[in-house]
Amino acid sequence: ADIVVVAPATADLMARMAQGHANDLATAVLLATRAPILIAPAMNPAMWSHAATQRNVRQLERDGAAFIGPNAGEMAEQGEAGVGRMAEVPEIVARIEEMLGANDKGGFGFISVGATRGPRPLLAGRHVLVTSGPTHEPIDPVRYIANRSSGKQGHAIAAAAQRLGARVTLITGPVQIADPEGVTVERVGTAEEMLAAVTAALPADVAVFAAAVADWRVATPGRGKIKKTAGNAPPSLNLVENPDILRAIATRGAGRPALVVGFAAETQTVVGNAQAKLKTKGADWIVANDVSESTGVFGGERNQVHFVSAAGVEPWPAMTKADVADALMQRAAAWLADVREQV
Ligand code: CTP
């Protein structure tokens, strides 16, 4: 190897490196290599600032290792923030190139992150807006109505658009998955918050509505926790309809994104319902998926979709959500390029 990169590097690995341990593959390689070593630490802020970790960092620097990051920001743990986030991947790649003298030699073909190298990226200069995940509609301060959406498909679309060079805004409900790299992420709770965030993020060239927005919210959520009192009947929930974000954006006159893409989550009559949604919601395309429990789409890695537009219905083969995302964003880029030519 020309360089050995440890990303992410934990406090424990750095401690063992500083001591010269070689009792597993990673530390053995790190001890035996003659190549330069680049370390990208990632850990809880308290662990990073601990005297022991800082001592190990100084030792490793004296031993010749280079460091990148950690950066300040939010941690994977809910509510934790501080210095300890791993440097962003593009920063790490830039540092690798610097260390390898790649800039002097005109760059290494094998290092490619997203669409930063090679031909002009297909979505360069475009703004792509994506909604993802479920929404949570409060019943009272401790309870909410939600659904099984994992956010995987929406997040994959945001990542695919970013790889094609777009500026991407991802507006997501509560999910348990990581933010895609290089994307502006806005977190919301309810459908109403999602609509406000989407409207504020316009204008956009492409808007993809992959969120599983709750159709209804509780009309007046309890201000305090609703108590169960012995002998009383369970409370009934009075539901009102949420705004339809896709329809609101697709049917607005001024400021409508050039391309509006919706999803259709169906358990029966998948294509027929998707075709109906294309019309009633004013979308240009609908990506229809069967979310029956047996398909494993909700929360799973794979998806089998029908691509529905005014031109007809295309059944796409079963593939990963990442592949669906890539195919969809390439299609969007080609569509925008055609529109541009016609202008
Ligand atoms: N959608 C939205 N806002 C809503 C409901 C849905 O933006 N309040 C969007 C979804 O993001 C998706 C599309 O509309 O792109 C279709 O969502 P789906 O849940 O399949 O349809 P619904 O409109 O909720 O209709 P139904 O529940 O009757 O199938």
Side-chain angles (χ1 to χ4, degrees):
D2 296 303
I3 184 166
V4 178
V5 182
V6 190
T10 61
D12 179 71
L13 184 81
M14 284 163 36
R16 290 189 294 129
M17 282 175 77
Q19 292 290 322
H21 285 231
N23 58 348
D24 60 17
L25 183 61
T27 48
V29 168
L30 286 160
L31 197 62
T33 186
R34 294 190 177 90
I37 294 174
L38 176 63
I39 301 175
M43 68 195 72
N44 172 281
M47 293 169 83
W48 171 250
S49 60
H50 195 284
T53 305
Q54 290 303 311
R55 192 166 62 234
N56 292 331
V57 169
R58 283 193 300 276
Q59 182 60 53
L60 289 165
E61 276 174 343
R62 273 199 294 275
D63 295 345
F67 280 83
I68 176 128
N71 294 345
E74 280 180 37
M75 300 293 119
E77 302 129 272
Q78 196 94 35
E80 276 274 6
V83 178
R85 257 180 93 91
M86 191 175 84
E88 298 298 327
V89 172
E91 292 177 73
I92 299 174
V93 172
R95 188 61 188 280
I96 294 169
E97 290 188 327
E98 195 186 295
M99 286 176 71
L100 292 177
N103 293 341
D104 306 337
K105 296 175 196 160
F108 283 89
F110 61 84
I111 299 179
S112 108
V113 161
T116 53
R117 298 193 160 273
R120 185 181 153 78
L122 291 171
L123 286 175
R126 306 291 195 177
H127 181 207
V128 176
L129 180 65
V130 184
T131 69
S132 185
T135 63
H136 283 186
E137 308 295 335
I139 296 171
D140 66 20
V142 295
R143 308 182 179 96
Y144 56 83
I145 299 174
N147 60 63
R148 294 184 193 281
S149 168
S150 64
K152 284 180 182 168
Q153 185 63 80
H155 279 52
I157 290 167
Q162 192 275 341
R163 281 196 295 275
L164 291 179
R167 175 167 76 84
V168 181
T169 307
L170 173 64
I171 295 166
T172 179
V175 294
Q176 303 298 323
I177 56 176
D179 293 350
E181 297 281 343
V183 164
T184 302
V185 180
E186 284 182 45
R187 291 178 184 76
V188 296
T190 65
E192 288 181 306
E193 289 166 10
M194 189 174 273
L195 174 61
V198 166
T199 310
L202 293 176
D205 300 287
V206 180
V208 184
F209 296 90
V213 182
D215 289 318
W216 307 282
R217 66 176 182 278
V218 176
T220 26
R223 282 165 168 267
K225 184 182 170 194
I226 303 170
K227 301 295 287 178
K228 65 175 185 302
T229 357
N232 280 5
S236 49
L237 296 178
N238 183 14
L239 301 179
V240 291
E241 201 167 314
N242 264 331
D244 189 317
I245 303 168
L246 166 59
R247 194 172 53 211
I249 302 303
T251 55
R252 61 187 272 155
R256 182 194 191 272
L259 180 61
V260 175
V261 184
F263 272 72
E266 308 291 347
T267 54
Q268 63 227 337
T269 336
V270 176
V271 170
N273 283 338
Q275 284 172 315
K277 280 180 187 167
L278 189 71
K279 289 213 182 69
T280 56
K281 298 201 178 223
D284 299 298
W285 301 342
I286 292 277
V287 180
N289 47 18
D290 185 343
V291 294
S292 311
E293 220 169 324
S294 59
T295 62
V297 167
F298 265 143
E301 301 302 328
R302 294 176 73 79
N303 207 351
Q304 208 253 299
V305 305
H306 284 80
F307 177 89
V308 180
S309 69
V313 179
E314 294 172 23
W316 287 5
M319 49 183 139
T320 63
K321 289 181 177 177
D323 286 343
V324 170
D326 281 332
L328 191 64
M329 285 302 98
Q330 280 177 13
R331 191 79 170 240
W335 189 91
L336 286 174
D338 274 356
V339 170
R340 188 191 263 165
E341 268 168 27
Q342 286 160 21
V343 171

